[in-house]
Amino acid sequence: MSSPHDSPAVRPGSRGRPRRSRLAPAMAVAAALAIGTPVEASAAPTVTDLSNEVNPFVGTESEGNAYPGATLPFGMVQLSPDNTDSYASTSYSNNAGRVWGFSHRHVNSAGCPAAGELLVSPSTTATPTTSRRFTSIQPGSESATAGYYGVTLGNSVKVDLSATTRVGAHRYTFPAGTTSNLSFNTGQTLRTAGASSVSWVDGTTLEGWIDNGGFCSGNEKKSRYYFSATFDRAPLSTGTWGNNAQFVGGRNSSEVTDGNNGFVATFDTTTDRDVEVSVGVSYVSVEGARGNRIAEATADGTRLPFDQVRAKARDAWNAELGRFDITASAEQRKIFYTQLYKTLLSPTIGSDVDGRYTGMDAKTHTANGWNYYQTFSLWDTYRTQATFHALFAKNRAVDIVRSMYQARVEGGWLPRWSLGSVETNIMAGDPVSPWIAENFTLGTVPDDIAGRMWDYLVENATTAPPAGVASVGRQSAAFYLANGHIPYYPEGGGGLGAQFEEYRHGGSATMEFAAADASIGSAAQRLGKTGQAAEFLARGTNWSKLWNPDVTLSGGFKGIVNAVNPEGRFVSVPERTDVTRSGFHEGTPWHYQWMATQDVVGLQQKMEGREEFVKRLDYYFNQPALQSAPGVSPSSWAAGGSTYYASIGYNPGNEPMMMNPWLYGFVGEPAKTNDVLAANLNRFPNTPGGGVGNDDLGTLAAWYVMASLGIQPVMPGSGIMALNAPKVQAATITLESGEKLRITAAGAKEKLPSYIAGVAVNDNVHTAAWVDVDEIRNGGRLDFALSGTKAGLDWATAQKDWIPSVSAPRKASPVIVPGADLTAIAGREKTIDVARVTFAGASPAAVEPITATVSWAGGDPVTATVTEDNGAWVIRSTSTFAAAGAVSGVVSIASAANTPRFSPPLFAPTSTNLTVLVTAAPVNPPVSPPVSPPVNPGVNVVPPTTGSTGTTVKAASGLAHTGMAPAVFSLLFVALGAIALGSALVIRRRQANG
């Protein structure tokens, strides 16, 4: 496949400096578009408080599993209401109309309930609440913005919540009375609590800890969560409850090994109706929680009042959100900033203000001068969020990468899906490898750990972890390296299938391994690790080991990926078979057949060519429906949530299918990408059901934000950013370095498809369907010219502009033929056509530029001249050979093409031997001095004319380069002498006869 960098106008991300067509962005884009760009919605007026643009209730329904509570960017505290703990709704349902209370830790939009430590419940009854009990919500009273949540309960208690990074801030406004209770429940969480402890330390301070753990079907190991809470005034009375959930007034401490436990503080709110509480938390110790609370929620020894904490939270969010300045309608701004907010929630800070944290070995360590982050949903986040953070939150991304490094050092192996300090081992594949590869490519791996981090990456991808470590890594590493696939063992058959996700999802795990290996290879190539690059990029084609050509499918198509059992036989099941029996995780073979962006060239070949590939892709997306109802999701698409378990249509809400829309850019039909995206992006409205299933710790949110800006990473580690029509009119993003990335897309449609008519990248015309991340990661410009119709558009349709496949790089095969005249004369300089280079497949030389060197007789290589001649390269070398004989030489060539940084050269440097036959210079005969003829004084000798003399010199000069001129001149003098002598004799004879 041709590289987009062969375009004469722009060569993004090439090894050398790109050639530029210098056009102002407005001119470049306008020139690309001869038709008007319809404006769908006018821009909203500037909003200074962007925290109010965020709607935290988005995603709290339809299996979105979002929490609406208060937190800071990447905050340790997520203080939020709880009213459910099911898989369909993991902590909060906006439709429930009731709550148990408000807990301090939540996982952002995951697929399983978790966390929920320290539930605080207000009540006004004579007997306080001692277990989870629903309290109704007054209709219409809930509100939330970034960093704030508020509600009025059915018992007339008004609740206000905010947070610092490590402290939850509560304010409860009670009705006037003497039984205003706050219950602190340590025995019930959103999962399964174990041991817990509460202690009333002094007149206003409560401290303790909770053991909690478990996530999905993974590790049930528990970790300890510590807290230190202080009230704005002393309570009227206190008490605790234990396993029997019976309140005991006056008792100030309680510790249990499991089950019910908690503390109650009762206040007199007859005149002072507000009660404020600041709760510091820590994963290290009670002292750490106390230190966090004092550092972040006090000033000069005085507890910060709630309103100050809320104001600081608002400022913190405005600082983060304010780096994105977009031009869009009021509705679109709400959607955009809400999704942007969700990208900045995870992973979460795990270290205390003093730097201490609990590592993956459950021991205390210290982060000196940086923040430790934890909870990595890697199967999800490697696809989008890793890129988003590295581009737009780089300083945090560096700390996040360092945290991953420490997880390997302290945990003994790289994690897969870690919750706090516990490895859950859920999900199949090897997600940490592409996550790390992407960070290497984007420059967020710190220099002091880069060497060891790379070694850990390769270790993880080539060997199974040792016994005794929590992370399961690649259990099948040896089998995979030997056979190119993971053996499938049924989920219900016991043994390996029951024990490891990797084996019971052998089909999808193989697809994941292949993509992960290609990501390592791409990053290795960019880093100059060419040997490892070739090895891992080749493994990127292992997905094809699953291709079963004999399967007949809906739509009349044949062939699809199937799991393969240990004996090497396909596990062929009907195409709508439930995923629990197909060997694929959270998707069917119809979904997973497309998860090979590293090798779309090979995928086309398996599908019998480009045309059949496009037909199948159109069928999968239901393009006829998209054309008849633009911007509307076809009924054939998976509706969201878990409906993908037996679906064959596009599933827009699950991670392995996230990059499907950009597949059109790999085959020269990029306009269709926007047909799909218009319908998909419309599934993110500003409503509680907005989104497509759970966001998985910011993964879909990052996908949404980048798609709205017109860019998307489609192959981790490669640096490929696919382009699409943005959904905003303009955006200016201020990077942490202070540099700005500016995006313009006049006429961008928000609900209907727009199509790209032309693009300028950094003020240069850009015809490729993708841009290298290096063009934008340090700031720059993307200017889109958009059209409301596909008709007549040819942007990115030429094969050289298609998105490339990293595991199927374009290659060239040079043929070197020694020159026809390899001769020379000793001691005499000569320019020799030493070789002629052509390319197999009749590729013209101009398409495959080269450099060349020549060395003679084992000497140093000397740069040779390369010129084009009738579609071939002619290599010329000017040399002087000292002595006669056969002189051996070597002519070497290398590719000079500007290939993408993730691709190897078009061909490896190659050489051929040749021999020059050097003959001795001819030996000149001895020359006698010229004899002057006798002169007859009576005869006039006429000298040669000027013209004849000039002709003679010319003739001689024509021989000068041969070295024969002296001999010729000698012969001429002899001849002239003989002529003169003969003339004299003739004259004498005439005189004698006269």
Side-chain angles (χ1 to χ4, degrees):
M1 180 177 293
S2 297
S3 163
H5 302 129
D6 293 328
S7 166
V10 59
R11 300 170 180 240
S14 60
R15 299 176 198 275
R17 183 165 182 83
R19 295 188 306 194
R20 300 296 190 185
S21 172
R22 304 299 301 179
L23 292 175
M27 292 177 61
V29 177
L33 188 57
I35 56 177
T37 53
V39 178
E40 187 185 44
S42 59
T46 301
V47 177
T48 56
D49 187 357
L50 292 175
S51 70
N52 286 326
E53 296 282 81
V54 173
N55 180 2
F57 292 109
V58 169
T60 57
E61 290 297 335
S62 302
E63 299 186 44
N65 296 340
Y67 65 85
T71 189
L72 257 59
F74 306 94
M76 182 184 289
V77 166
Q78 306 87 30
L79 181 54
S80 190
D82 294 336
N83 58 23
T84 178
D85 58 2
S86 71
Y87 278 67
S89 184
T90 55
S91 70
Y92 171 86
S93 167
N94 186 253
N95 294 334
R98 58 188 185 177
V99 295
W100 291 316
F102 311 92
S103 67
H104 290 74
R105 183 185 176 210
H106 294 81
V107 180
N108 174 34
S109 296
C112 308
E117 292 90 346
L118 194 59
L119 181 73
V120 180
S121 302
S123 65
T124 58
T125 55
T127 301
T129 299
T130 58
S131 64
R132 291 198 313 200
R133 182 186 305 164
F134 284 119
T135 300
S136 65
I137 291 173
Q138 290 189 11
S141 69
E142 280 187 290
S143 64
T145 60
Y148 170 78
Y149 170 86
V151 67
T152 300
L153 303 178
N155 57 14
S156 298
V157 178
K158 186 178 185 304
V159 181
D160 296 290
L161 306 177
S162 192
T164 70
T165 298
R166 301 171 178 87
V167 179
H170 307 238
R171 181 172 63 195
Y172 299 93
T173 303
F174 288 91
T178 58
T179 57
S180 299
N181 310 307
L182 286 178
S183 298
F184 292 76
N185 188 336
T186 61
Q188 292 175 294
T189 65
L190 294 172
R191 188 65 187 203
T192 305
S196 67
S197 174
V198 291
S199 296
W200 184 240
V201 176
D202 57 34
T204 58
T205 304
L206 171 70
E207 294 180 338
W209 48 264
I210 304 164
D211 287 347
N212 192 34
F215 184 67
C216 294
S217 58
N219 193 343
E220 292 294 326
K221 179 182 176 182
K222 291 176 170 53
S223 59
R224 188 157 288 184
Y225 188 83
Y226 301 89
F227 63 90
S228 175
T230 186
F231 299 90
D232 66 337
R233 67 181 193 268
L236 184 64
S237 62
T238 62
T240 66
W241 73 88
N243 286 136
N244 61 6
Q246 298 298 309
F247 174 69
V248 180
R251 188 171 68 180
N252 291 330
S253 66
S254 178
E255 184 170 321
V256 300
T257 57
D258 59 32
N260 293 316
N261 198 32
F263 176 88
V264 177
T266 301
F267 294 85
D268 182 349
T269 59
T270 304
T271 55
D272 184 357
R273 296 173 53 200
D274 290 343
V275 177
E276 296 189 5
V277 191
S278 299
V279 182
V281 304
S282 170
Y283 296 99
V284 175
S285 65
V286 168
E287 292 76 19
R290 188 185 310 131
N292 291 340
R293 174 175 56 77
I294 292 171
E296 295 184 356
T298 66
D300 300 324
T302 302
R303 189 191 62 83
L304 289 177
F306 178 86
D307 286 336
Q308 286 190 29
V309 173
R310 181 182 177 184
K312 287 178 177 289
R314 180 191 62 228
D315 292 345
W317 275 112
N318 280 333
E320 290 286 348
L321 300 172
R323 293 194 297 108
F324 290 74
D325 181 14
I326 68 166
T327 301
S329 68
E331 180 186 9
Q332 186 66 24
R333 286 175 60 85
K334 287 275 189 184
I335 297 170
F336 180 90
Y337 282 109
T338 296
Q339 297 302 323
L340 175 60
Y341 163 85
K342 290 173 178 287
T343 70
L344 302 173
L345 299 177
S346 304
T348 55
I349 290 175
S351 52
D352 292 340
V353 291
D354 63 3
R356 294 189 303 157
Y357 65 90
T358 297
M360 295 301 292
D361 56 358
K363 297 178 181 178
T364 301
H365 305 273
T366 301
N368 291 311
W370 57 283
N371 284 316
Y372 179 80
Y373 288 78
Q374 60 185 21
T375 302
F376 288 95
S377 175
L378 293 168
W379 188 81
D380 309 292
T381 59
Y382 86 77
R383 306 169 202 268
T384 59
Q385 195 195 61
T387 310
F388 185 87
H389 288 165
L391 283 175
F392 304 125
K394 185 172 183 179
N395 293 336
R396 290 188 187 271
V398 169
D399 280 3
I400 291 170
V401 171
R402 192 179 290 278
S403 302
M404 182 65 70
Y405 172 81
Q406 291 303 130
R408 165 60 182 85
V409 170
E410 293 149 12
W413 207 256
L414 288 167
R416 174 178 291 183
W417 209 120
S418 60
L419 178 65
S421 61
V422 176
E423 173 56 61
T424 69
N425 282 316
I426 65 166
M427 311 310 289
D430 174 23
V432 72
S433 288
W435 188 94
I436 293 174
E438 184 74 344
N439 277 284
F440 266 108
T441 290
L442 272 73
T444 46
V445 179
D447 290 341
D448 62 310
I449 64 171
R452 284 166 292 173
M453 190 69 155
W454 184 264
D455 291 342
Y456 290 149
L457 171 60
V458 174
E459 168 194 66
N460 178 79
T462 55
T463 58
V469 301
S471 178
V472 297
R474 291 193 181 194
Q475 287 292 313
S476 64
F479 186 98
Y480 177 75
L481 292 179
N483 298 278
H485 72 90
I486 299 167
Y488 166 67
Y489 291 88
E491 186 169 347
L496 292 175
Q499 189 177 2
F500 296 107
E501 299 252 21
E502 185 173 314
Y503 290 109
R504 62 178 171 267
H505 303 306
S508 57
T510 297
M511 302 295 289
E512 293 275 1
F513 275 24
D517 286 343
S519 73
I520 298 172
S522 298
Q525 186 68 42
R526 294 182 77 104
L527 294 171
K529 302 176 185 290
T530 54
Q532 289 176 320
E535 175 186 353
F536 281 101
L537 286 172
R539 286 186 204 160
T541 64
N542 280 347
W543 68 270
S544 62
K545 301 291 178 66
L546 305 185
W547 192 262
N548 183 350
D550 298 325
V551 178
T552 300
L553 306 167
S554 298
F557 303 102
K558 287 203 68 174
I560 203 164
V561 290
N562 280 161
V564 179
N565 68 17
E567 292 73 39
R569 294 191 299 273
F570 290 118
V571 180
S572 184
V573 295
E575 61 186 351
R576 294 183 184 271
T577 298
D578 184 276
V579 298
T580 60
R581 296 185 288 119
S582 66
F584 289 83
H585 197 188
E586 296 192 3
T588 63
W590 259 99
H591 300 133
Y592 272 97
Q593 67 182 321
W594 308 108
M595 195 188 149
T597 55
Q598 75 276 13
D599 188 22
V600 176
V601 171
L603 191 58
Q604 292 176 69
Q605 293 170 349
K606 291 295 185 184
M607 293 182 179
E608 301 183 353
R610 176 190 172 277
E611 288 187 8
E612 289 300 311
F613 175 94
V614 173
K615 286 180 183 178
R616 189 183 298 213
L617 195 59
D618 287 348
Y619 180 83
Y620 172 67
F621 284 121
N622 197 346
Q623 279 289 347
L626 290 172
Q627 301 308 311
S628 63
V632 178
S633 296
S635 60
S636 58
W637 289 13
S642 300
T643 54
Y644 50 72
Y645 271 73
S647 166
I648 66 170
Y650 174 50
N651 173 24
N654 209 31
E655 280 72 14
M657 302 92 213
M658 295 179 73
M659 303 311 158
N660 290 172
W662 288 271
L663 286 169
Y664 285 115
F666 287 80
V667 291
E669 299 200 22
K672 291 181 179 178
T673 294
N674 300 295
D675 292 322
V676 179
L677 287 179
N680 200 346
L681 293 170
N682 283 343
R683 298 175 74 149
F684 289 77
N686 183 32
T687 65
V692 190
N694 53 75
D695 179 38
D696 287 315
L697 285 74
T699 300
L700 265 72
W703 178 92
Y704 179 92
V705 170
M706 288 189 286
S708 295
L709 296 172
I711 56 176
Q712 197 69 224
V714 293
M715 181 61 228
S718 69
I720 296 173
M721 299 293 288
L723 300 176
N724 61 268
K727 287 297 179 181
V728 298
Q729 304 285 325
T732 298
I733 306 163
T734 303
L735 307 181
E736 290 180 335
S737 64
E739 298 294 330
K740 296 181 186 298
L741 174 61
R742 292 180 169 87
I743 298 169
T744 64
K749 293 185 175 185
E750 294 178 356
K751 302 302 180 187
L752 296 174
S754 299
Y755 305 97
I756 298 176
V759 177
V761 177
N762 296 329
D763 299 349
N764 302 286
V765 171
H766 184 85
T767 58
W770 65 283
V771 63
D772 192 281
V773 73
D774 282 355
E775 297 277 354
I776 60 173
R777 69 185 180 99
N778 295 314
R781 289 192 67 100
L782 292 173
D783 296 286
F784 293 85
L786 302 181
S787 170
T789 176
K790 290 181 285 191
L793 300 183
D794 62 0
W795 176 82
T797 58
Q799 187 170 352
K800 67 182 178 60
D801 294 325
W802 298 359
I803 301 172
S805 297
V806 298
S807 284
R810 191 170 69 85
K811 296 179 180 179
S813 300
V815 178
I816 306 176
V817 178
D821 180 18
L822 298 180
T823 62
I825 297 175
R828 300 176 186 174
E829 184 178 84
K830 183 178 181 182
T831 298
I832 305 173
D833 290 355
V834 295
R836 188 177 182 87
V837 179
T838 57
F839 292 89
S843 177
V847 177
E848 320 292 358
I850 65 170
T851 60
T853 62
V854 177
S855 62
W856 300 110
D860 294 334
V862 176
T863 301
T865 301
V866 179
T867 57
E868 187 180 359
D869 177 43
N870 196 27
W873 293 119
V874 175
I875 301 173
R876 291 190 173 94
S877 176
T878 301
S879 305
T880 301
F881 301 96
V887 180
S888 62
V890 177
V891 59
S892 303
I893 64 171
S895 174
N898 283 324
T899 54
R901 289 192 60 196
F902 52 79
S903 291
L906 297 185
F907 59 88
T910 187
S911 304
T912 193
N913 298 323
L914 44 83
T915 301
V916 174
L917 297 178
V918 182
T919 58
V923 179
N924 296 325
V927 179
S928 300
V931 178
S932 300
V935 178
N936 187 327
V939 178
N940 293 324
V941 178
V942 180
T945 64
T946 303
S948 62
T949 302
T951 301
T952 301
V953 172
K954 246 179 161 179
S957 67
L959 299 172
H961 73 287
T962 66
M964 299 174 61
V968 171
F969 278 117
S970 297
L971 292 172
L972 285 173
F973 278 120
V974 171
L976 287 171
I979 293 170
L981 178 61
S983 299
L985 291 174
V986 170
I987 293 171
R988 286 179 181 176
R989 285 194 186 101
R990 287 177 179 174
Q991 289 176 337
N993 295 329

